[in-house]
Amino acid sequence: MKQIKFLHTADLHLDSPMVGLRHLPKAIFHRLQESTFKALKNITDAAIKHEVDFVVIAGDLYDSEDRSIRAQAVLRNEMNRLAEKGVKVYAIHGNHDHLGGHSVEIEFPDNVFFFKDQFSMAPFSKMDGTRVHLYGFSYPERHVMERWIEKYERIAGADFHIGLLHGNNEGASEHGNYAPFRLSELLDKGYDYWALGHIHKRAILAEYPYVVYPGNPQGRNRKEQGDKGAYIVSLTESGSEVSFVETADVIWEEIMIDGKNAESFNDVYQQCLSSLDEKRKEGKGVLLAIHIEHLDHGLMEVKDKIDSGELLELLQDEEKEEESFVWVHRLAYKEQIAANRGELLKQSDFYQDLFDTIEKYEDMSDALSPLFQHSQARRHLSGLEESEKEQLVLDAEKILLQLLMKN
């Protein structure tokens, strides 16, 4: 029976600068700086362990068009490791590492095939005669908005057909709409597997055949949470299977703590410590955000310790030298408000006007413009997503109600 096994990864973003994270302790920041390289090593280890026939990388190998010499050297070294095991690699460049950039290029071993800036097919043959056709293209420039999916075709002469595409599933993402496609278009091509890249959250869009975003192998900020990795894919004449393998060295996590039963600072502190133990992963680092919900309005001592940063420092104190650290980078709380909207509306017309104003509020950009126009702050800020804007309005409403309740 004809069969192949390969590893599918994408969005390596090697040598990512980890913008805005220099406030972390030196050792932890260095660990995060090195994490994209460690994830690449873990990918190579997984490919060798699972004895794959080849590896596919679906775009954004590097974090920028001016790819660093170090990033190229580290990638070449890992490709040499695969070459020693007879494993081939097929890669495309995406919007971050497009071919229009200017950089000194390092030569790669013969086992690596980079698709050029035109759609093409690369053949692969196993010793047993099994043949595979791999299809793809590399971005010629950063902003590729054309529907390149229309150029993909199925060329006869192979047992299996695999498409590599760094692009956006139309209408299903807040990412840039690069090389857009519709799922139905992929399925119509008659390929046996679609190796996608560009979206950093892993997702399986279809199973017959598999259409897969593996996500990025290493999270780089608080929005890229959870386990990160790659997929081991097996294709046979009777069907296909995929299995996820973890590759991240540092993981971003977020946890909610219910503080409604807390009666003292020690109660909250112990809950936070339990959260650290729950999230600790052997051999990995964790960057954790803790959100305490329903904290009693009267626990002034607890709120003061959080607002002053004392509780945060206490939680961080034992983690600086830990190999399997859990570093709390954010600690926030929300108070439990006794009154609800219905009761407040009965008290005064003022509340009706307040809630009407909140629901119709559209001046978010003007309110935040001093922050985003600040010469220092704007270097570290990206645009807010709609969900984040909605959350800011909700948070503002709660703060207003808390201040009113105090009076």
Side-chain angles (χ1 to χ4, degrees):
M1 180 173 66
K2 299 292 181 66
Q3 60 181 4
I4 57 164
K5 183 190 292 186
F6 62 95
L7 182 147
H8 170 202
T9 186
D11 299 286
L12 307 180
H13 288 274
L14 295 175
D15 211 9
S16 178
M18 305 299 173
V19 174
L21 298 171
R22 291 189 178 275
H23 63 280
L24 294 171
K26 185 176 180 180
I28 292 178
F29 179 63
H30 178 71
R31 179 91 171 263
L32 193 58
Q33 276 187 309
E34 296 295 307
S35 61
T36 56
F37 298 125
K38 177 63 174 176
L40 174 61
K41 181 181 181 299
N42 291 339
I43 288 169
T44 306
D45 290 343
I48 294 172
K49 175 184 177 181
H50 290 273
E51 299 181 327
V52 301
D53 298 304
F54 54 85
V55 171
V56 297
I57 308 177
D60 284 356
L61 293 78
Y62 307 106
D63 193 63
S64 69
E65 60 187 55
D66 298 324
R67 53 202 74 158
S68 71
I69 292 294
R70 186 188 179 208
Q72 294 184 67
V74 172
L75 181 60
R76 182 187 61 183
N77 291 341
E78 295 304 312
M79 299 303 97
N80 279 326
R81 288 181 60 204
L82 293 175
E84 292 171 358
K85 298 296 182 179
V87 178
K88 289 188 175 293
V89 180
Y90 298 88
I92 59 176
H93 292 287
N95 55 296
H96 275 265
D97 62 348
H98 59 86
L99 299 181
H102 302 286
S103 62
V104 177
E105 294 188 2
I106 293 179
E107 289 189 7
F108 280 78
D110 293 338
N111 66 316
V112 183
F113 178 87
F114 290 104
F115 284 85
K116 304 300 183 183
D117 60 358
Q118 297 292 324
F119 171 79
S120 63
M121 181 273 287
F124 169 83
S125 297
K126 284 182 67 172
M127 294 293 291
D128 65 3
T130 302
R131 290 180 57 81
V132 182
H133 284 175
L134 297 101
Y135 309 87
F137 76 98
S138 288
Y139 278 40
E141 57 188 2
R142 180 176 181 84
H143 300 291
V144 173
M145 304 301 181
E146 296 87 356
R147 301 185 60 79
W148 279 73
I149 184 59
E150 297 174 358
K151 302 181 182 183
Y152 282 69
E153 57 180 326
R154 190 176 187 269
I155 301 174
D159 302 292
F160 302 103
H161 301 264
I162 299 171
L164 283 71
L165 178 59
H166 191 85
N168 187 56
N169 184 20
E170 285 186 327
S173 171
E174 296 177 345
H175 287 66
N177 199 32
Y178 295 120
F181 63 85
R182 291 186 294 272
L183 179 59
S184 60
E185 292 177 299
L186 302 188
L187 301 180
D188 287 344
K189 296 298 179 179
Y191 290 3
D192 299 288
Y193 185 88
W194 277 98
L196 303 179
H198 182 51
I199 305 304
H200 290 186
K201 183 177 181 179
R202 75 177 189 266
I204 297 177
L205 304 186
E207 295 184 10
Y208 305 102
Y210 273 104
V211 179
V212 178
Y213 280 115
N216 54 339
Q218 170 59 57
R220 302 170 302 143
N221 55 60
R222 63 182 179 82
K223 294 181 181 180
E224 299 177 349
Q225 295 183 16
D227 295 330
K228 296 289 185 175
Y231 280 98
I232 301 295
V233 184
S234 296
L235 300 182
T236 69
E237 294 173 311
S238 59
S240 56
E241 293 182 357
V242 299
S243 60
F244 180 75
V245 292
E246 294 184 24
T247 59
D249 185 48
V250 180
I251 300 170
W252 293 82
E253 294 279 7
E254 186 173 343
I255 194 168
M256 308 293 288
I257 293 177
D258 192 343
K260 66 181 179 182
N261 295 321
E263 298 179 353
S264 66
F265 172 80
N266 189 64
D267 289 344
V268 175
Y269 177 47
Q270 291 301 323
Q271 281 186 288
C272 290
L273 288 179
S274 296
S275 298
L276 267 63
D277 290 338
E278 176 186 335
K279 291 298 182 180
R280 196 176 306 278
K281 297 177 182 290
E282 185 64 32
K284 296 181 180 291
V286 175
L287 293 169
L288 181 66
I290 298 178
H291 301 275
I292 304 171
E293 297 282 341
H294 310 121
L295 192 63
D296 191 298
H297 177 69
L299 292 176
M300 298 303 298
E301 179 190 24
V302 177
K303 293 188 292 181
D304 287 344
K305 296 298 183 185
I306 297 176
D307 291 337
S308 67
E310 289 183 71
L311 178 54
L312 180 62
E313 291 179 6
L314 192 60
L315 295 172
Q316 294 174 340
D317 193 48
E318 300 297 324
E319 300 296 324
K320 295 179 181 178
E321 306 301 325
E322 281 282 345
E323 179 71 17
S324 304
F325 65 81
V326 180
W327 183 263
V328 182
H329 68 91
R330 176 178 171 81
L331 178 62
Y333 69 91
K334 293 181 180 178
E335 296 179 72
Q336 186 166 337
I337 302 174
N340 60 39
R341 275 192 172 206
E343 293 172 347
L344 291 173
L345 288 171
K346 295 177 183 177
Q347 295 181 21
S348 169
D349 291 339
F350 165 78
Y351 288 108
Q352 181 67 62
D353 293 338
L354 174 64
F355 294 138
D356 285 345
T357 300
I358 290 172
E359 289 174 0
K360 298 175 182 177
Y361 187 72
E362 297 180 348
D363 297 328
M364 179 70 71
S365 297
D366 291 339
L368 294 176
S369 61
L371 177 63
F372 280 90
Q373 292 175 5
H374 190 279
S375 60
Q376 297 297 322
R378 65 186 179 191
R379 297 180 185 177
H380 309 293
L381 296 173
S382 58
L384 292 176
E385 298 176 1
E386 286 302 316
S387 59
E388 292 174 315
K389 292 180 181 179
E390 293 172 3
Q391 186 61 50
L392 280 176
V393 173
L394 290 174
D395 291 343
E397 177 183 331
K398 289 184 179 180
I399 291 171
L400 282 171
L401 292 180
Q402 289 165 11
L403 293 172
L404 290 167
M405 291 294 292
K406 287 179 182 179
N407 297 317

